[in-house]
Amino acid sequence: MSATRTGKLPKGLLIPSLIALLGVSLFGLGGAQASAAEAATDFPIPALSETSKTSPMPNVIVIATGGTIAGQVADGDPTNLQNYRAGTYKMEDMVAQLPRKDKIADVSTYQFGNKGSGGYLITELYDLSLAVDQALKTYDGVVVTTGTDTMEDIAYFLDLTVRSEKPVVVTGAMRPWDAIGTDAPANLYNAIKLAASGKTKSFGTVLMLNDVIQTARDVTKSNSHRMDTFESPILGALGYIDQDNISLYRANERALKAGRPEWGTPFDLTAISKDDLPLVEIAYAYQEADGGAIKGFVADGAKGIVTAGTGAGGISAKMGAARTEAIKQGVVFVTTTRTGSGTMYPGSTEGIIAGDSLNAQHARMLLLLSLAFSKDLPTIEQWFEEYGRQDISQEDIGVVSKLTDIEGHWANSSIKKGISRGIVSGYSDYSYKPDQNLTRAEFVVMLMKALKPAGTLAELSFADADQIGKWAELPVAQAVGAGIVNGYSDGTFDPSGPISRAEMTLMIAKAMKYELAKDAQPGFADDAAIPAWAKGAAKAVKDAGIMKGRSGGSFAPASYVSRAEAITAIVKLPVK
């Protein structure tokens, strides 16, 4: 068993731009990333016909991978509900048999593969995700058909990696296409109907079987034979389909970020190659479980291991000892529970990440992708917190509309943008306090939320490091690691001290990697008052349109920065 997946991949977009932004190899991809950016993958997705282009019906494509839904009963006996050959029928022929499909969508098909879901390699899922995104450039929605055995694994992989917000619906069947009482045609028809409706746009990837709509993150297969096998423990389904009625009764956290930069994840597959996909395994806990599985996984080259523990994630003493040794070798662990539901919360042990309410197979997919994009443990922890947890915040549900002190303020628009992007938030009394001075720590937190860096964290060695609040430690460490923040000559950071306009300007210029001219003349009325160390930055941010002078055309370098001024500058930064 090898430690990496094999293959090559296409041009880079999001991640390379972030690397250029911060001037460091944030994800440790090196040459592999460069080769991935140069390669190009083009799948034979059928082009829209001229009729489809002018038709008022939505254009939906079914990308087929096989599974029971495309299965053929054994011996031609339609009562063989469990004895059949999965992945036999072609999707083109299956769709042709669906009645009245012209009433819901113009439907095309693409046969990506035709085998059981458990037969697909991670590298093939990589290609599947890219194929889905390619299709969504022209189609209004995609249906992906798979086998149900590992459907939740495949769906969550797509949920984490597909870049488009257009509907992606995964479906399959518990009985083969030609069996008596099969659920296959109805599931396929309703999945097409759901994708065509657009109702799950921005929800990420969803599952639709047995008329029930579930999120890819929450869903799991709960029974080996029943047609209502898929459930979302504790959290419940999104909704269901009753003939022409599609009813959604809850929204996930991603849907609340629709149309915003933070809707996407860091896992843009066009930025890596298949060689970057690491080996990640799952170790199951039970009474007096030995540590042999963990040792074997490490010996095989596993870079990450998810433990499915008892109760609240507990594992045996032997498994614990093996885990400790593996962590010393750089293996990253995620703890989950084998109970089927329940939340794992962060602990204090280095090298172990809490899996929140993800089950083991979902946590494995998130860890695998995280390790493909970063080798930095705090970064991966942050990604599990932000993209794995999917906890709804006040910003997600529109707290911006409740703020009492921003209407009529000159920075009203910028403040709203900052809150909608998750960069800033209001206080518990529904105020923003736009004219309140900002501290150095507060500004760094704002800046890092906007940049979303993932570089190596620096050790906080400031003389007053113990005065940096827990809420600011990670952003400050990120900023120091990226060369954005330095301490004063006395070795302090002064986290609670107010930040001056000159200091803020320099931090922004460093973050943007602007060239700082030594003999710069910024062009403000008070150029002479701007310290030499800040003149290059002042000119750079002025030229970029990020900051302007105050009244009278002065820069006021020593003046303190207000919360309104800070967010106004930050929302102008050219970052996605």
Side-chain angles (χ1 to χ4, degrees):
M1 185 179 295
S2 63
T4 58
R5 315 291 178 180
T6 58
K8 295 186 181 296
L9 158 81
K11 55 190 175 183
L13 296 173
L14 175 62
I15 301 304
S17 66
L18 286 176
I19 291 173
L21 172 68
L22 294 180
V24 290
S25 180
L26 298 185
F27 303 114
L29 303 179
Q33 180 193 359
S35 63
E38 295 169 1
T41 298
D42 188 22
F43 300 92
I45 303 294
L48 291 176
S49 67
E50 290 303 317
T51 302
S52 295
K53 290 179 181 178
T54 58
S55 170
M57 303 299 292
N59 293 302
V60 174
I61 185 169
V62 181
I63 299 180
T65 72
T68 298
I69 192 172
Q72 182 181 36
V73 296
D75 304 321
D77 182 356
T79 66
N80 268 331
L81 301 183
Q82 296 180 27
N83 187 11
Y84 58 89
R85 181 182 175 187
T88 300
Y89 292 113
K90 296 292 183 64
M91 184 52 62
E92 182 180 11
D93 299 328
M94 295 162 63
V95 167
Q97 297 177 43
L98 294 179
R100 297 175 62 83
K101 59 182 175 293
D102 58 315
K103 302 299 182 182
I104 56 174
D106 289 330
V107 187
S108 300
T109 66
Y110 169 55
Q111 196 73 41
F112 177 87
N114 214 0
K115 57 185 176 181
S117 59
Y120 281 93
L121 306 176
I122 297 296
T123 51
E124 292 175 296
L125 300 188
Y126 170 104
D127 284 336
L128 177 61
S129 177
L130 294 177
V132 169
D133 260 323
Q134 182 180 323
L136 288 173
K137 291 178 181 178
T138 51
Y139 287 85
D140 299 310
V142 166
V143 172
V144 178
T145 61
T146 77
T148 60
D149 284 353
T150 60
M151 179 180 283
E152 61 192 276
D153 307 54
I154 295 172
Y156 193 48
F157 186 92
L158 294 176
D159 186 54
L160 291 169
T161 57
V162 170
R163 315 312 294 167
S164 174
E165 290 190 43
K166 292 181 180 179
V168 178
V169 181
V170 176
T171 195
M174 292 299 290
R175 293 178 178 177
W177 184 262
D178 53 2
I180 185 173
T182 180
D183 55 333
N187 283 346
L188 180 58
Y189 186 87
N190 274 343
I192 294 171
K193 182 191 297 181
L194 178 59
S197 75
K199 292 202 70 168
T200 59
K201 180 183 178 181
S202 303
F203 277 68
T205 300
V206 302
L207 267 73
M208 200 302 305
L209 285 91
N210 204 42
D211 303 334
V212 181
I213 307 164
Q214 322 255 11
T215 67
R217 179 203 180 273
D218 304 328
V219 74
T220 191
K221 187 174 182 179
S222 66
N223 189 282
S224 56
H225 299 299
R226 302 287 75 79
M227 287 192 288
D228 59 352
T229 178
F230 284 98
E231 298 179 353
S232 296
I234 305 296
L235 302 178
L238 291 171
Y240 42 78
I241 301 175
D242 290 325
Q243 194 152 332
D244 295 332
N245 301 298
I246 301 174
S247 304
L248 295 181
Y249 291 100
R250 74 176 179 95
N252 59 3
E253 196 245 6
R254 293 196 77 184
L256 299 179
K257 294 180 177 178
R260 290 153 51 183
E262 56 268 29
W263 181 89
T265 71
F267 312 123
D268 182 355
L269 295 181
T270 63
I272 64 170
S273 79
K274 293 177 182 177
D275 295 330
D276 295 309
L277 296 167
L279 183 66
V280 175
E281 299 288 1
I282 298 174
Y284 198 84
Y286 48 88
Q287 196 73 37
E288 200 182 354
D290 191 71
I294 292 177
K295 294 175 184 177
F297 290 151
V298 174
D300 281 344
K303 303 303 180 184
I305 296 175
V306 175
T307 57
T310 57
I315 60 176
S316 68
K318 291 180 180 178
M319 285 185 72
R323 180 173 65 180
T324 298
E325 289 303 311
I327 290 173
K328 293 178 181 178
Q329 298 179 49
V331 179
V332 178
F333 280 78
V334 173
T335 181
T336 66
T337 177
R338 72 176 196 180
T339 63
S341 64
T343 301
M344 304 297 102
Y345 297 101
S348 58
T349 304
E350 183 76 16
I352 302 175
I353 298 172
D356 196 70
S357 60
L358 295 172
N359 63 23
Q361 49 270 38
H362 287 158
R364 173 179 175 261
M365 285 301 184
L366 179 53
L367 180 58
L368 187 154
L369 287 165
S370 296
L371 287 168
F373 282 83
S374 179
K375 304 300 182 288
D376 183 65
L377 183 62
T379 295
I380 297 173
E381 289 176 333
Q382 184 179 357
W383 286 344
F384 264 79
E385 175 67 24
E386 184 170 355
Y387 303 106
R389 182 168 170 77
Q390 292 292 291
D391 182 41
I392 294 174
S393 67
Q394 288 296 306
E395 288 81 3
D396 293 326
I397 59 177
V399 69
V400 62
S401 62
K402 301 177 182 178
L403 294 181
T404 59
D405 59 349
I406 64 172
E407 290 302 321
H409 194 277
W410 64 267
N412 177 42
S413 177
S414 296
I415 294 169
K416 288 183 176 180
K417 286 181 182 178
I419 291 178
S420 69
R421 296 178 187 178
I423 300 171
V424 293
S425 61
Y427 291 96
S428 58
D429 63 353
Y430 296 110
S431 67
Y432 177 76
K433 298 179 175 54
D435 298 316
Q436 179 173 291
N437 287 340
L438 202 66
T439 68
R440 285 168 55 84
E442 287 173 331
F443 177 75
V444 169
V445 171
M446 281 189 188
L447 185 60
M448 293 301 100
K449 282 186 175 181
L451 297 178
K452 299 185 184 301
T456 301
L457 302 182
E459 181 179 355
L460 296 180
S461 57
F462 298 116
D464 57 349
D466 61 340
Q467 296 178 30
I468 301 175
K470 291 291 183 182
W471 54 272
E473 284 182 351
L474 176 61
V476 172
Q478 289 173 326
V480 174
I484 297 171
V485 168
N486 297 311
Y488 290 108
S489 58
D490 62 356
T492 64
F493 172 66
D494 190 21
S496 59
I499 187 170
S500 70
R501 284 172 56 84
E503 291 172 326
M504 180 180 77
T505 301
L506 183 60
M507 287 187 193
I508 290 175
K510 287 183 175 181
M512 295 294 100
K513 292 297 176 183
Y514 290 145
E515 183 177 350
L516 307 182
K518 294 182 178 179
D519 301 317
Q521 297 299 318
F524 292 104
D526 57 348
D527 273 4
I530 302 175
W533 53 264
K535 284 190 175 181
K539 178 173 175 54
V541 297
K542 179 187 178 186
D543 291 348
I546 295 172
M547 288 182 65
K548 298 180 179 179
R550 287 185 170 178
S551 59
S554 65
F555 180 67
S559 296
Y560 296 140
V561 178
S562 69
R563 284 169 56 82
E565 288 178 311
I567 195 58
T568 299
I570 288 176
V571 296
K572 292 179 181 178
L573 299 182
V575 295
K576 295 182 178 180

